[in-house]
Amino acid sequence: MLGAVKMEGHEHADWSGSGYYGETECYTSAGNMNSMSSYMSAPGMSGAGHMNAHYANPVGVNHSSMHCGGSQGPGAMVQAAVGMTGLGPSMSSMSPPPPYGSVPVMSPVYGQACGIRSREPKPYRRSYTHAKPPYSYISLITMAIQQSGSKMLTLNELYQWITDLFPFYRQNQQRWQNSIRHSLSFNDCFIKVPRLPDKPGKGSFWALHPDSGNMFENGCYLRRQKRFKSGRASGAGEKEGSEGGSVTTGSTRSDSPHSPSSTSPPADVKGTGVDPKARRGELLPPSPVRVPSPLAHTQHLFSHPPYHPPLLLHEAAHLRPDHYPPHYSFNHPFSINNLMSEPPPPRPEPAVQYGGYGCPVTGALVAAKSGLDPAHGDSSYYRGAYTRPVMNT
DNA sequence: GCTTGTTTATTTTGTT
DNA sequence: AACAAAATAAACAAGC
């Protein structure tokens, strides 16, 4: 029964090479690239490579080696992927959220946008706007929060951000929004920040756990290698996650806060756990006196585990890796941090921001800022997603 | 009443 | 195949 529903959920062949691009010739030289599973499982090549092939190519990243990855060997693919990362402006450098930069790429006419196919643009029956972005909900949430000026968003803002960026999510809203909420609640990497008294409204703010910064260190936004668990487990116990907020292994269920085996109350699930009310990491009401900014108080409250003051990424960019705080590896080419390597500008007005995948303006802006061709203004959107996941150590 | 948030259960998908 | 992460569904409570 559920199966049927599930199938419905996958009604969009999404990013499978053949599903949306009409043909696979361009992307499937590896031999097994014509299926979803090929995304990240092609032998010898990074999953990232695959994904990149699907996403980046169209983008106009124009790496000839890319669509022929299979034939040219893993090396070529990886190289292409890496090269791609360097192409576009960083996510953060774009005015609108990162994906916006990819706009030109995501354009429905994206077939043309794809440099590789420029010689004979073919009409694609289905556009990217219908394709499900290759990001997990956790990734989406993370990106949204990261790109926000205050580094925290309300649920509604999250919804807005996602729908603005990904037309795919303008449909079946109930479904994915429920998933978003579930992700927020379920994952320790997201923390709830109460609204300030002077900012009444519905819902709390959601922020990233300060130590969750390396969640996507492996560059794979589709699937984390390990789930982030707040370091401070209930009581003194923390059979796991003892690494203080690092991603830890663990079965979805057994580790889950709500795990049957878990006798500990949900209160500390996210590590903030002291106050029953602050279950699952909800922060205590901020102290207006001590913390001027919403984020500041967040940081303050989360400072038990070694909290590293956020570096402005553009600042971090000037640092050598050994200067980075332990949990912020900005230097990783596919790191989500790297993806959003600069403090994003304040969220633009919806009217401006909107434009889905195909807002040329954004691309132009990005290009203007980055000095790159708008056509390449996307890479940041995809570049990180498909690198071979690397185990965090 | 709607939105937000939590929790449980199940299924799907990717990795080892 | 086993395991783990993610997606999905749904029930429920609380707050606005």
Side-chain angles (χ1 to χ4, degrees):
Chain A
M1 161 162 77
L2 277 178
V5 178
K6 298 292 184 187
M7 290 309 290
E8 182 190 349
H10 295 285
E11 60 194 52
H12 312 281
D14 305 1
W15 301 96
S16 66
S18 56
Y20 281 85
Y21 306 117
E23 59 237 11
T24 60
E25 47 145 85
C26 183
Y27 313 106
T28 63
S29 57
N32 63 346
M33 296 178 81
N34 53 356
S35 69
M36 269 305 264
S37 62
S38 71
Y39 275 148
M40 311 182 82
S41 61
M45 43 197 330
S46 68
H50 276 289
M51 296 291 269
N52 276 330
H54 293 305
Y55 280 85
N57 280 338
V59 172
V61 170
N62 181 33
H63 289 320
S64 56
S65 62
M66 192 166 280
H67 41 276
C68 303
S71 61
Q72 299 195 356
M77 187 58 109
V78 172
Q79 191 173 19
V82 171
M84 188 165 66
T85 64
L87 276 178
S90 71
M91 224 162 166
S92 55
S93 69
M94 342 186 163
S95 287
Y100 283 162
S102 56
V103 164
V105 186
M106 299 298 285
S107 171
V109 273
Y110 144 96
Q112 284 94 329
C114 175
I116 38 184
R117 316 189 62 75
S118 59
R119 33 183 186 149
E120 60 175 321
K122 294 182 180 181
Y124 293 93
R125 277 192 296 255
R126 306 185 70 177
S127 71
Y128 264 132
T129 60
H130 296 116
K132 184 175 185 178
Y135 301 115
S136 65
Y137 291 125
I138 295 175
S139 298
L140 291 174
I141 296 168
T142 299
M143 285 189 276
I145 293 175
Q146 289 273 26
Q147 66 79 42
S148 71
S150 58
K151 294 294 181 289
M152 57 172 72
L153 293 173
T154 62
L155 185 62
N156 192 51
E157 288 171 333
L158 270 172
Y159 292 160
Q160 195 59 51
W161 189 87
I162 292 171
T163 52
D164 281 357
L165 259 59
F166 308 101
F168 172 84
Y169 290 113
R170 286 168 202 162
Q171 43 192 320
N172 297 317
Q173 297 203 347
Q174 189 176 6
R175 176 186 295 166
W176 67 263
Q177 288 182 348
N178 186 18
S179 294
I180 290 290
R181 290 194 302 274
H182 170 264
S183 292
L184 287 169
S185 289
F186 185 79
N187 293 283
D188 289 0
C189 54
F190 303 120
I191 57 178
K192 204 169 67 174
V193 183
R195 283 177 176 273
L196 291 172
D198 60 328
K199 287 199 171 186
K202 236 182 176 183
S204 304
F205 287 98
W206 288 94
L208 291 171
H209 190 293
D211 289 322
S212 69
N214 59 352
M215 274 195 306
F216 298 99
E217 181 56 29
N218 58 27
C220 178
Y221 301 103
L222 184 59
R223 189 186 181 85
R224 293 174 299 182
Q225 199 69 33
K226 294 177 180 178
R227 201 157 62 86
F228 172 82
K229 290 285 292 180
S230 172
R232 295 169 302 117
S234 59
E238 90 281 294
K239 329 175 235 256
E240 63 192 331
S242 55
E243 305 145 57
S246 60
V247 244
T248 70
T249 318
S251 67
T252 310
R253 293 299 151 216
S254 57
D255 278 17
S256 121
H258 351 294
S259 156
S261 61
S262 171
T263 56
S264 55
D268 48 353
V269 174
K270 280 192 173 179
T272 58
V274 201
D275 184 341
K277 178 65 180 176
R279 55 196 306 206
R280 294 199 61 72
E282 177 174 0
L283 293 174
L284 298 174
S287 163
V289 178
R290 300 175 61 180
V291 265
S293 82
L295 182 57
H297 82 256
T298 306
Q299 298 167 351
H300 167 67
L301 290 170
F302 277 99
S303 57
H304 330 77
Y307 173 72
H308 310 288
L311 274 180
L312 291 182
L313 294 175
H314 67 277
E315 294 175 346
H318 300 314
L319 298 176
R320 297 199 315 262
D322 55 327
H323 290 155
Y324 299 155
H327 293 291
Y328 294 83
S329 303
F330 299 114
N331 57 332
H332 192 293
F334 300 133
S335 162
I336 193 168
N337 290 325
N338 187 51
L339 212 54
M340 302 175 229
S341 61
E342 291 177 24
R347 192 164 184 257
E349 292 301 316
V352 176
Q353 176 178 127
Y354 187 78
Y357 298 159
C359 172
V361 176
T362 303
L365 288 175
V366 170
K369 290 187 69 175
S370 63
L372 291 172
D373 181 339
H376 294 134
D378 83 64
S379 58
S380 63
Y381 182 57
Y382 306 101
R383 64 181 179 196
Y386 319 112
T387 60
R388 178 172 185 68
V390 174
M391 289 295 283
N392 295 315
T393 53

